[in-house]
């Protein structure tokens, strides 16, 4: 295009609440236990022991409350008598380090005890290219150490107890690492010189201290030390022993309480294997911040000790059902629904990451380095299992992301409908309600793709059933939605009502598929249906059983248009310690729950994914999960759980999503408007505007909140929400291309600024804005009554940024002048709206303007800009290209397309275009990284081949200094056409 000829370089200035007392009993998923407690407290049936972590109910109370048979709706009338109660986070329901004996012991351990100092010896190369040695202390403890450098440059360091005195081998996480990548070891060079051993391959090097010095290890990348292990000699290993052994009842720290049994509230953990925890200190050299360790409120991890610590409390990884979680800084240690033991850091020398593959409860302390040890000091300790560390280092954050993906897998390629807008509520009450909501979206010209049903659609919370009084024709309801290109999602939780008349439970009971007590009986606890049991998803047999339940003959009322929401899978057990399972329950292979607690939700979604594959062969699953672990991105999307309709929860959404995104959970989002409470209209609009640019986009609400469908807040706000949702559909081609990149390369969709601008030190501090891929920067508005906002645009003086509206409304300018302004991105005075990187800029952010979105100079963003009712209605629409020129007049981008539903793309039924603008010419052609097959794509989409290849409708160029004198298009055959 001749219009790319000149580049404009002129810089322009661009201009909470409480819930109704009636609903205190009717908490949504994740909030029930505190509400049960409030109900019982009001009725005088509350056991004071519950305040210490357990909810107990007398037989009289259970009958009065209908707990074994009722669930939420059964107590509606009784709940109306409750006094007003504040619904808030209850910290007494959850453990702190002081309540956990192994956490106390590791925090007290200072590394000064020679008898308990481990030293490394006997190091030698092995036939499989690993290096092995023995760690021994002054006592009788002997451990095996294995070091390997993988083909991806990751250093794997594993420490295990070869022959435990009792309890069999220590548990090692299974089913998380993909393929055999963790066993593809390169042959490095091992050099031993006195008390130092160096194992090196390419730019990666591990230097280990040998006996007689205490064991330590230094990871180097390209000659720079980036990570130091056991520098403070905090490596502590509690070897398995028999209770009658000498010293078995004592710990070196003197804290002997809880070694062999432990209680929290009225719950007793029998600890049949005794103490078996382990810990290690790790310093991230020169790191200003560390990141990761989801799930919690925040992205940058504040100190947990010393200067800058909001509270003297380590971060905890333990998946829990946390009711209306707190997002204030002093609650950053509080674990939420998922757990990924991955920490990241970035400096000018390298990006680094540490994954400890362990599914047990874990704590991590963070503090500033001292005494010449610059960076962040961290201290990791887990209750059980083995120490299986993966040390990652690369020149860029993207390199570490790809290393991590090589271990645990990449984002599943989602069906394109799941990238549209999702409408959910606890609960759409019946088929008439569903029809009305669906019709209202069309009546108000608001696109959406999926309508969700919460637990009230079932028969008494029996999952995979339909209440035929409310939903007499579920197949017809789903087919009706599908006739307009829409889908349905139903909730399926892991607790199965203990009822032999309920086939899902009865069949599992007969086959012995449930989690067991320590005595070998089927475990039974309380959740929404009352008395329930939980399937043992660690067992392959159980996963096969669960998958089979999704077949149409088993899940009656389901159709090809029905997808799944796995909630409450931490797992949530209302009458359990910390609202979850006891640690001494037993899983497949006689594995204690303590070893695998953080993996329960992971295994459930693995089984659900397999069920979708059975239900819809060769079509892509879509599953949403609340609980997750490393690798969950292979099976499910994730949302941030039971948030609240408050400005601080909107503010917390961006850092929480960055945390998830950078630890592999790329398909993530926060519920629009907040689950609890009634959002004021401005808050709701702002949430829609921000969430439209996040990977998962769903509105959801608690049963006791007022209805909040987009058209219920007046015409002005309906227009604003419509514009926000349409902006989502406008950028879908770009978003879908990013999902393809996440699926094939392991790169996040939503990224911190420092990932794209790793040399910009200021970007490292920012977690209130995000990059959507490489091209778009989004700055959510998270405070009321905002008309302008300061936005930091990263880079340096050579970086160019342009305002990108992407379908958002703008009140000025209008008319012909406005058209030229919108096409060329120029202001009222005709100057190009280019902004310089590395600076803070004021940006217009009035509620009718939408959230500020900027496009990076040098990028091309594909969009589809015709208003449609759903993604299905868009599949034949042509594309618009937004070309943002850099300072040299160049721009580049990619566009990926497939049928958006099947797995045919795996056999080449896709197209991938590389687009470039340079020297006044725009070209787009097949990507060198794999172009796909137009004929196969046409067959899978049902569209004519010419339609899937001749797709360009419009080009918008940012940074043009003057109107073009001519625009010509040249087709592949060489014929030029003047436009």
């Amino acid at each position: 295009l001749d219009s790319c000829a000149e580049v404009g370089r002129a810089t322009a200035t661009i201009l909470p609440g409480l819930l109704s007392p009636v609903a205190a009993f009717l908490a949504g998923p994740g909030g029930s236990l505190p509400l049960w407690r409030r109900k019982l407290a009001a009725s005088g049936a509350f056991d004071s022991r519950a305040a210490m972590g357990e909810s107990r109910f007398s037989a009289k109370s259970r009958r009065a409350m209908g707990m074994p048979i009722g669930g939420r709706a059964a107590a509606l009338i009784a709940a109306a008598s409750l006094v007003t109660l504040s619904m808030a986070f209850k910290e007494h329901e959850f453990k702190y380090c002081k309540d956990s004996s192994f956490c106390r012991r590791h925090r007290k351990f200072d590394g000064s005890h020679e008898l308990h100092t481990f030293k490394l010896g006997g190091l030698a190369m092995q036939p499989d290219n690993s290096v092995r040695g023995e760690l021994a202390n002054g006592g009788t403890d002997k451990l095996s150490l294995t070091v390997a450098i993988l083909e991806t440059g990751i250093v794997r360091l594993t420490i295990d107890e070869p022959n435990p005195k009792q309890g069999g081998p220590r548990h090692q996480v299974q089913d998380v690492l993909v393929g055999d990548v963790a066993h593809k070891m390169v042959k490095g060079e091992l050099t031993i010189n006195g008390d130092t051993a160096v194992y090196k391959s390419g730019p990666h090097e591990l230097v280990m201290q040998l006996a007689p010095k205490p064991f330590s290890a230094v990871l180097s990348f390209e000659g720079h030390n980036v990570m130091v292990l056991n520098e403070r000699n905090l490596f502590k290993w509690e070897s398995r022993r028999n209770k009658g052994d000498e010293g078995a009842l004592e710990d070196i720290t003197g804290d002997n309480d809880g070694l062999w049994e432990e209680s929290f509230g009225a719950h007793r953990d029998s600890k049949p294997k005794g103490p078996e925890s382990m810990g290690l200190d790790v310093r991230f050299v020169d790191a200003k911040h560390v990141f990761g360790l989801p799930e919690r409120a925040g992205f940058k991890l504040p100190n947990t000790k010393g200067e800058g610590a909001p509270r003297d409390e380590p971060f905890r990884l333990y998946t829990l059902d946390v009711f209306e979680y707190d997002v204030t800084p002093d609650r950053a240690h509080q674990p939420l629904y998922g757990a990924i033991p991955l920490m990241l850091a970035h400096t000018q020398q390298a990006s680094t990451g540490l994954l400890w593959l362990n599914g047990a409860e874990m704590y991590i302390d963070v503090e500033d380095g001292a005494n010449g040890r610059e960076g962040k000091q961290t201290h990791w300790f887990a209750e059980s299992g083995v120490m299986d560390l993966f040390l990652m280092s690369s020149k860029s954050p993207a390199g570490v992301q790809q290393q991590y993906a090589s271990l645990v897998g990449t984002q599943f390629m989602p069906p394109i409908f799941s990238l549209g807008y999702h409408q959910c509520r606890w609960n759409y009450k019946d088929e008439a309600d569903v029809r009305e909501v669906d019709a209202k979206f069309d009546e108000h010209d608001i696109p959406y793709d999926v309508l969700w049903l919460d637990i009230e659609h079932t028969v008494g919370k029996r999952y995979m059933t339909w209440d035929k009084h409310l939903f007499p024709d579920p197949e017809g309801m789903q087919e009706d939605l599908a006739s307009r290109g829409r889908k349905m999602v139903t909730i399926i939780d892991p607790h199965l009502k203990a009822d032999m008349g309920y086939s899902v439970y009865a069949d599992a009971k007969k086959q012995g598929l449930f989690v067991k007590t320590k005595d070998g009986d089927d475990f039974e606890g309380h959740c929404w249906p009352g008395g329930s049991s939980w399937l043992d998803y660690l067992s392959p047999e159980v996963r096969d059983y669960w998958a089979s339940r999704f077949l149409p003959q088993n899940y009656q009322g389901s159709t090809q248009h029905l997808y799944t929401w796995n909630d409450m899978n931490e797992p949530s057990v209302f009458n359990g310690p910390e609202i979850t399972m006891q640690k001494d329950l037993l899983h497949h292979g006689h594995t204690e729950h303590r070893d695998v607690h953080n993996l329960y939700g992971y295994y459930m979604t693995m089984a659900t994914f397999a069920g979708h594959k059975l239900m819809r062969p060769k079509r892509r699953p879509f599953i949403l999960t609340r609980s997750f672990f490393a690798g969950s991105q292979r099976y499910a999307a994730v949302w941030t759980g039971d948030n609240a309709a408050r400005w601080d929860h909107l503010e917390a959404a961006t850092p929480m999503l960055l945390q998830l995104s950078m630890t592999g959970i790329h398909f993530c989002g926060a519920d629009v408007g907040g689950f609890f409470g009634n959002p004021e209209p401005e808050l709701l609009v702002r949430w829609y505007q921000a969430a439209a640019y996040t990977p998962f986009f769903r509105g959801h609400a608690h049963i006791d909140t007022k209805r909040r469908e987009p058209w219920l807040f007046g015409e002005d706000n309906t227009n604003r929400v419509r514009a926000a949702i349409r902006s989502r559909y406008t950028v879908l081609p770009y978003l879908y291309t990013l999902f393809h990149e996440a699926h094939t390369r392991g790169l996040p969709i939503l990224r911190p600024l420092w990932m794209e601008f790793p040399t910009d030190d200021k970007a490292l501090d920012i977690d209130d804005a995000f990059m959507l891929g490489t091209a778009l920067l989004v700055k959510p508005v998270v405070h009321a009554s905002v008309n302008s906002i300061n936005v930091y645009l990263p880079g340096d003086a050579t970086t160019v940024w342009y305002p990108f509206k992407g379908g958002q409304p703008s009140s000025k300018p209008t008319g012909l002048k406005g058209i030229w302004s919108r096409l060329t991105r120029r202001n009222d005075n005709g100057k190009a709206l280019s902004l310089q990187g590395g600076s803070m800029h004021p940006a217009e952010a009035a509620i009718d303007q939408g959230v500020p979105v900027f496009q990076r100079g040098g990028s091309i963003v594909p969009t589809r800009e015709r208003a449609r009712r759903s993604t299905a209605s868009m599949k034949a629409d042509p594309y618009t290209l937004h070309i943002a020129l850099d300072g040299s007049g160049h721009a580049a981008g990619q566009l990926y397309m497939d049928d958006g539903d099947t797995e045919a793309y795996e056999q080449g039924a896709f197209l991938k275009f590389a687009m470039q603008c340079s020297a006044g010419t725009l070209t787009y052609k097949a990507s060198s990284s794999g172009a796909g097959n137009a004929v196969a794509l046409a067959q899978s989409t049902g569209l004519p081949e010419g339609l899937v290849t001749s797709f360009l409708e419009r080009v918008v160029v940012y940074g043009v200094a003057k109107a073009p004198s001519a625009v010509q298009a040249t087709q592949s055959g060489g014929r030029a056409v003047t436009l």
Side-chain angles (χ1 to χ4, degrees):
L1 291 173
D2 290 338
S3 59
C4 293
E6 295 190 49
V7 182
R9 300 297 301 126
T11 299
T13 299
I14 309 172
L15 295 178
L18 302 180
L19 298 186
S20 162
V22 173
F25 173 70
L26 302 177
S32 60
L33 184 56
L35 302 185
W36 272 108
R37 292 176 182 170
R38 291 190 182 92
K39 177 65 179 78
L40 292 166
S43 67
F46 180 66
D47 186 327
S48 62
R49 288 172 292 184
M52 299 177 65
E54 181 189 36
S55 181
R56 288 216 163 189
F57 308 94
S58 67
K60 179 179 178 180
S61 300
R62 284 196 293 267
R63 286 194 298 271
M65 296 301 301
M67 281 189 60
I69 59 172
R72 297 182 281 196
L76 178 58
I77 297 174
S81 65
L82 287 182
V83 294
T84 300
L85 294 165
S86 173
M87 300 174 69
F89 174 75
K90 298 293 182 183
E91 57 181 288
H92 66 266
E93 294 170 344
F94 302 103
K95 283 185 178 181
Y96 293 81
C97 185
K98 65 181 177 60
D99 304 309
S100 177
S101 63
F102 86 89
C103 182
R104 294 195 309 269
R105 294 194 298 273
H106 282 274
R107 276 194 128 199
K108 289 177 180 179
F109 184 72
D110 61 8
S112 63
H113 306 279
E114 178 65 23
L115 184 66
H116 291 268
T117 294
F118 282 87
K119 298 172 183 180
L120 177 62
L123 212 60
M125 286 290 301
Q126 304 298 312
D128 63 0
N129 293 331
S130 67
V131 173
R132 293 180 189 169
E134 182 180 80
L135 285 168
N137 61 16
T140 60
D141 297 319
K142 288 183 171 53
L143 309 173
S144 65
L145 177 142
T146 305
V147 175
I149 299 178
L150 309 183
E151 289 181 352
T152 53
I154 299 170
V155 175
R156 184 180 192 180
L157 189 153
T158 306
I159 301 175
D160 197 1
E161 186 176 352
N163 299 296
K165 280 191 173 182
Q166 59 111 341
R170 284 177 171 252
H171 182 76
Q172 190 161 7
V173 170
Q174 305 296 313
D175 306 310
V176 170
L177 300 177
V178 295
D180 59 351
V181 64
H183 303 287
K184 290 183 177 178
M185 308 170 194
V186 297
K187 186 173 183 179
E189 178 184 350
L190 176 64
T191 305
I192 298 177
N193 185 7
D195 56 11
T196 302
V198 180
Y199 190 49
K200 179 179 174 64
S201 176
H204 303 92
E205 178 180 275
L206 191 71
V207 179
M208 294 168 280
Q209 287 295 328
L210 305 178
K213 291 185 178 180
F215 164 70
S216 66
V218 179
L219 177 69
S220 298
F221 175 74
E222 293 187 344
H224 299 283
N225 293 346
V226 295
M227 210 180 297
V228 186
L229 282 67
N230 205 38
E231 184 177 42
R232 295 182 286 165
N233 200 31
L234 298 183
F235 178 67
K236 183 179 192 296
W237 187 284
E238 296 177 340
S239 295
R240 295 249 193 91
R241 64 199 89 172
N242 296 307
K243 198 169 184 179
D245 292 349
E246 183 180 354
L249 303 181
E250 298 176 350
D251 185 76
I252 187 62
T253 64
D255 190 336
N256 304 322
D257 185 30
L259 286 171
W260 285 91
E261 66 175 44
E262 194 165 2
S263 295
F264 182 65
H267 292 279
R268 175 180 169 273
D269 177 6
S270 64
K271 290 192 174 181
K273 298 175 185 175
E276 52 178 330
S277 68
M278 72 223 77
L280 178 76
D281 63 276
V282 180
R283 177 164 64 96
F284 290 83
V285 178
D286 293 332
K288 182 180 180 182
H289 300 294
V290 285
F291 307 86
L293 303 183
E295 184 180 24
R296 63 197 69 255
F299 180 44
K300 292 178 293 187
L301 296 172
N303 287 349
T304 62
K305 299 175 74 174
E307 185 177 353
R311 179 187 291 220
D312 187 7
E313 183 69 27
F315 297 110
R316 185 184 181 205
L317 291 177
Y318 197 65
T319 56
L320 292 170
D321 177 355
V322 181
F323 172 82
E324 198 175 359
Y325 54 83
D326 194 339
V327 297
T328 54
D330 74 331
R331 304 301 316 177
H333 66 279
Q334 173 65 46
L336 297 178
Y337 314 99
I340 298 179
L342 171 67
M343 184 175 282
L344 304 167
H346 175 71
T347 69
Q348 294 296 321
Q349 285 72 42
S351 282
T352 52
L354 186 155
L355 171 69
W356 182 354
L357 192 59
N358 188 307
E361 181 180 10
M362 190 180 296
Y363 289 87
I364 303 96
D365 265 318
V366 176
E367 58 186 313
D368 292 333
N371 302 322
R373 297 169 177 173
E374 300 302 321
K376 284 292 185 180
Q377 300 269 22
T378 67
H379 184 197
W380 301 60
F381 29 102
E383 185 177 18
S384 63
V386 302
M387 193 169 281
D388 195 5
L389 307 179
F390 295 85
L391 313 179
M392 292 162 271
S393 55
S394 180
K395 192 64 179 174
S396 69
V400 171
Q401 290 292 308
Q402 291 178 299
Q403 285 181 323
Y404 177 61
S406 75
L407 291 173
V408 300
T410 63
Q411 168 64 49
F412 75 93
M413 191 65 193
I416 196 165
F417 79 79
S418 64
L419 306 192
Y421 174 63
H422 300 247
Q423 184 65 36
C424 184
R425 179 175 179 80
W426 174 25
N427 204 89
Y428 288 117
K429 57 189 180 183
D430 54 28
E431 288 183 9
D433 201 6
V434 168
R435 284 193 300 271
E436 182 178 4
V437 170
D438 177 67
K440 285 289 186 181
F441 271 94
D442 287 340
E443 179 183 330
H444 292 277
D445 292 324
I446 300 173
Y448 93 105
D449 266 78
V450 193
L451 196 142
W452 293 54
L453 296 179
D454 210 318
I455 63 176
E456 309 302 339
H457 81 279
T458 64
V459 179
K461 319 306 180 291
R462 295 166 179 85
Y463 304 107
M464 299 182 173
T465 68
W466 300 84
D467 185 332
K468 289 304 181 77
H469 297 288
L470 304 176
F471 298 91
D473 184 16
E475 295 100 328
M477 175 178 62
Q478 294 163 56
E479 294 293 348
D480 180 59
L481 289 173
S483 70
R484 290 177 293 283
R486 290 165 180 154
K487 312 295 183 185
M488 177 165 276
V489 168
T490 53
I491 193 167
I492 301 177
D493 292 346
H495 47 268
L496 300 182
K497 183 175 178 61
D499 174 8
M500 291 303 289
Y502 171 36
S503 64
V504 183
Y505 171 87
D507 292 347
K509 179 78 170 176
K510 292 171 186 174
Q511 297 177 53
L513 304 182
F514 291 122
V515 175
K516 308 297 183 186
T517 67
K518 61 185 177 64
D519 300 317
D521 300 321
D522 286 345
F523 168 68
E524 186 172 317
H526 280 280
C527 208
W528 294 130
S532 304
S533 290
W534 280 255
L535 287 171
D536 179 10
Y537 293 108
L538 270 72
S539 164
E541 179 188 0
V542 173
R543 295 198 296 272
D544 288 345
Y545 167 77
W546 184 247
S548 73
R549 302 305 307 191
F550 286 86
L551 291 170
Q553 61 266 35
N554 292 327
Y555 190 177
Q556 295 183 12
S558 65
T559 71
Q560 295 295 299
H561 314 296
L562 188 66
Y563 296 82
T564 304
W565 173 15
N566 287 156
D567 196 0
M568 310 292 285
N569 53 347
E570 294 75 28
S572 177
V573 181
F574 289 172
N575 60 332
E578 300 191 275
I579 322 175
T580 192
M581 285 183 176
Q582 294 94 319
K583 289 182 176 180
D584 55 7
L585 297 181
L586 295 177
H587 291 270
H588 175 68
H590 212 71
T591 302
E592 272 197 297
H593 185 72
R594 82 178 70 251
D595 294 323
V596 295
H597 173 84
N598 290 340
L599 289 156
Y600 189 85
Y602 169 85
Y603 276 112
M604 183 188 186
T605 52
M606 178 194 292
T608 302
F609 190 89
H612 278 220
K613 291 282 194 178
L614 285 179
M615 181 169 67
R616 280 181 294 267
K618 299 183 179 179
R619 290 178 60 198
R620 303 178 211 174
F622 171 71
I623 301 158
L624 181 71
T625 181
R626 192 168 71 175
S627 189
F628 56 87
F629 190 73
S632 286
Q633 65 269 17
R634 306 202 301 266
Y635 308 114
V638 170
W639 93 108
T640 60
D642 297 343
N643 56 1
R646 302 201 314 245
W647 286 99
D648 61 339
H649 275 247
L650 171 58
E651 185 176 11
T654 293
M656 289 183 75
L657 296 180
L658 286 170
Q659 175 195 89
L660 293 174
S661 296
M662 292 298 284
T663 51
I665 307 298
H666 301 153
F667 199 176
C668 59
D671 281 339
V672 173
F675 177 66
F676 290 109
N678 296 305
E680 59 193 89
E682 183 185 4
L683 171 60
L684 185 65
V685 170
R686 288 304 197 184
W687 214 314
Y688 270 107
Q689 291 174 343
Y693 295 95
T694 61
F696 180 60
F697 186 23
R698 182 180 78 158
H700 185 35
H702 185 281
I703 195 171
D704 189 51
T705 61
K706 297 176 182 177
R707 295 291 286 255
R708 62 167 82 149
E709 284 74 28
W711 50 87
L712 296 177
F713 296 86
E715 184 177 353
D716 287 346
N717 289 314
T718 299
N719 292 338
R720 292 161 180 157
V721 172
R722 179 191 300 112
I725 295 177
R726 281 185 177 176
S727 70
R728 166 54 161 242
Y729 284 79
T730 296
V731 300
L732 272 180
Y734 175 63
L735 185 61
Y736 196 62
T737 300
L738 292 178
F739 266 92
H740 168 73
E741 185 176 51
H743 177 63
T744 55
R745 300 182 60 204
L747 296 179
I749 294 158
L750 190 147
R751 307 171 183 180
L753 274 56
W754 54 265
M755 179 175 171
E756 286 301 312
F757 297 88
T759 61
D760 187 337
D761 287 336
K762 292 180 181 177
L764 203 62
D765 293 321
I766 293 173
D767 63 2
D768 60 356
F770 60 86
M771 294 293 299
L772 188 62
T774 61
L776 298 181
L777 185 151
V778 182
K779 170 76 171 183
V781 176
V782 297
H783 300 287
S785 305
V786 169
N787 290 310
S788 65
I789 193 170
N790 290 325
V791 181
Y792 180 76
L793 299 178
D796 55 30
T798 65
T799 309
V800 185
W801 294 90
Y802 304 91
F804 174 85
K805 294 305 175 185
Q808 288 280 21
S810 179
S811 57
K812 60 179 186 178
T814 59
L816 293 176
K817 187 177 183 181
I819 293 173
W820 172 242
S821 172
R822 188 161 64 89
L823 288 176
T824 61
R825 297 307 188 241
R826 302 168 69 83
N827 67 9
D828 293 331
N829 298 318
K831 294 182 178 179
L833 297 179
S834 61
L835 298 167
Q836 182 176 295
S839 302
M840 192 74 74
H841 296 272
E844 295 180 5
I847 195 165
D848 285 324
Q849 189 76 17
V851 297
V853 182
F854 294 88
Q855 185 171 349
R856 181 183 189 175
S859 67
I860 299 177
V861 174
T863 63
R864 273 175 163 162
E865 306 201 355
R866 298 183 181 186
R868 301 294 190 187
R869 66 169 25 146
S870 66
T871 55
S873 304
M874 300 170 65
K875 73 175 185 177
D877 283 356
Y879 294 89
T880 291
L881 300 182
H882 291 256
I883 302 172
L885 304 176
D886 65 13
S888 302
H890 300 288
Q894 288 190 331
L895 172 63
Y896 172 82
M897 62 182 80
D898 60 27
D899 66 24
D901 181 57
T902 74
E903 296 174 347
Y905 69 94
E906 296 177 345
Q907 283 73 50
F910 69 90
L911 288 174
K912 187 176 180 183
F913 289 92
M915 303 171 291
Q916 289 191 335
C917 184
S918 182
T921 301
L922 168 68
T923 60
Y924 64 91
K925 59 183 180 180
S927 171
S928 59
S929 62
N933 185 303
V935 174
L937 178 58
Q939 290 173 348
S940 67
T941 59
L943 298 173
E945 182 182 347
L947 191 58
V948 299
T949 55
S950 302
F951 59 86
L952 191 59
E953 175 183 47
R954 185 163 163 261
V955 174
V956 180
V957 184
Y958 297 58
V960 179
K962 64 180 181 179
S965 57
V967 179
Q968 287 187 327
T970 304
Q971 297 178 338
S972 56
R975 185 171 63 90
V977 178
T978 300
L979 304 178

